Amino acid sequence: MKKVMVIYGTRPEAVKVAPVIMALQASPVLEPVVVSTGQHRDMLDQINRWFGVTPDYDLNVFRHGATLTQLSARILERLPDVLSRFKPDAVLVQGDTTTVAMAAIACFYEEIPVVHLEAGLRSGDIHSPFPEEANRKLAGQVTALHLAPTTISKQNLLREAVDPAMIPVVGNTVIDALKWTIGRPVEFSDPRLAEGCNAGVPMVLLTAHRRENWGEPMARIAKAVATLAERAPDHLFVFPAHANPKVREVIIPVIDRFDNVVVCDSLDYPQFVHAQQWAKLILTDSGGVQEEAPSLGKPVLVLRENTERPEAVTAGTVKLIGTDTDAIVAHSMNLLDDPAAYEAMANAVNPYGDGHAAERSVAAIAALLGVGDRLPDFGV
């Protein structure tokens, strides 16, 4: 049995590695070792419980108020002892977090092959999203096996002179996790959400947290949602507020005064998936939502100036609109008022996966380690 260590530390990573961990557990030739850095503490533990994942080791690096530099230093300091203890044949990291970049560098120093899940996403701007774009590129420089979710991601890597033999296109495991979750019943813990959902009230879901939107962009988003709440009084506007005060202090005072606005704490993963399923329209600056919502037939307006996920924009399921207040209002009302415009986005094809990305990923890892064969690429 070859030993594959899976290292992750945030809620989005936990969601996307959970299907891979399950597939590794079912493999006759690969054995998973699960390591959490604890970069996101409470939210990470929620995901582990939902998917039934128990880390073999927890670096426990989370500290309130820690800078990116401090977080990076703790991961680099603590991870080598864990690598030495478990002696993995390969290490899998996912996405674009500080955990990903630092774990990849630590493994490179220890000469352990790095497998990068969701490799090859690029916005083209090293400062946006920050620090995610840089984290992806840093990890990519020391990666042995690039598990690209789409052919566009593969093309990005080919332009960076990555060996094409090391870039299987596997799809995105977020769709595997989504399908697993949507098939299980979930109740909203907030009674206002439970009541609205059960009554079939049309709902607009807002998520906003990106660093590049802190300050004035976040204020423009808040003003836009307030305007929409006035212009669409029959709709419920739901904002699961990120814990960061830079988000809460800007948005909540502007929108919380409306009877058709519900501000609640961040929803756990299963509740958030079901909130996306309930929503009529989603306004977001999140990356993962751009992948998940199209599988549920939900139009997504992205509150950013660029995206490292252009596939859904091309497919028509997602529209990049920025943070200008008037633009947010105009695009939103167009979808709420015009059935043809709405259906055009809601019925577009999701380019991100078919629910078998974890299976392809594990087969590619087995091939890398000489104990199996790859499966055909996603989309082929």
Side-chain angles (χ1 to χ4, degrees), residues 161-315:
V162 175
D163 181 355
M166 293 293 100
I167 319 174
V169 180
V170 298
N172 199 309
T173 56
V174 74
I175 308 303
D176 301 37
L178 182 79
K179 289 188 173 185
W180 190 89
T181 297
I182 211 68
R184 287 159 173 76
V186 170
E187 294 291 331
F188 289 109
S189 56
D190 190 307
R192 298 168 296 176
L193 299 186
E195 180 182 355
C197 185
N198 292 335
V201 176
M203 187 265 279
V204 176
L205 180 63
L206 167 69
T207 75
H209 71 280
R210 288 282 186 184
R211 288 173 182 265
E212 60 264 34
N213 279 343
W214 290 355
E216 182 56 32
M218 202 69 72
R220 294 195 296 267
I221 292 170
K223 185 178 178 181
V225 174
T227 302
L228 290 168
E230 289 182 321
R231 292 182 58 178
D234 57 329
H235 286 65
L236 190 65
F237 291 79
V238 174
F239 176 45
H242 195 277
N244 194 313
K246 292 181 182 294
V247 175
R248 286 176 167 260
E249 292 171 3
V250 175
I251 292 185
I252 293 178
V254 178
I255 68 173
D256 202 24
R257 56 193 173 90
F258 295 95
D259 291 338
N260 61 330
V261 171
V262 173
V263 176
C264 58
D265 289 335
S266 293
L267 301 174
D268 63 24
Y269 173 71
Q271 290 187 71
F272 186 70
V273 166
H274 283 261
Q276 290 182 83
Q277 185 181 42
W278 167 26
K280 182 177 181 180
L281 170 65
I282 300 175
L283 309 176
T284 187
D285 62 7
S286 164
V289 172
Q290 295 175 55
E291 300 160 345
E292 292 172 336
S295 280
L296 302 172
K298 307 300 178 178
V300 179
L301 298 179
V302 180
L303 310 174
R304 290 166 55 180
E305 303 302 329
N306 54 41
T307 180
E308 67 279 26
R309 294 168 170 87
E311 294 89 348
V313 176
T314 301

Side-chain angles (χ1 to χ4, degrees), residues 13 77 79 148 177 204 257 273 322 352:
E13 286 171 275
E77 181 181 32
L79 191 53
V204 176
R257 56 193 173 90
V273 166
Y352 291 116

Side-chain angles (χ1 to χ4, degrees), residues 117 138 196 277 315 364:
L117 181 66
L138 287 168
Q277 185 181 42

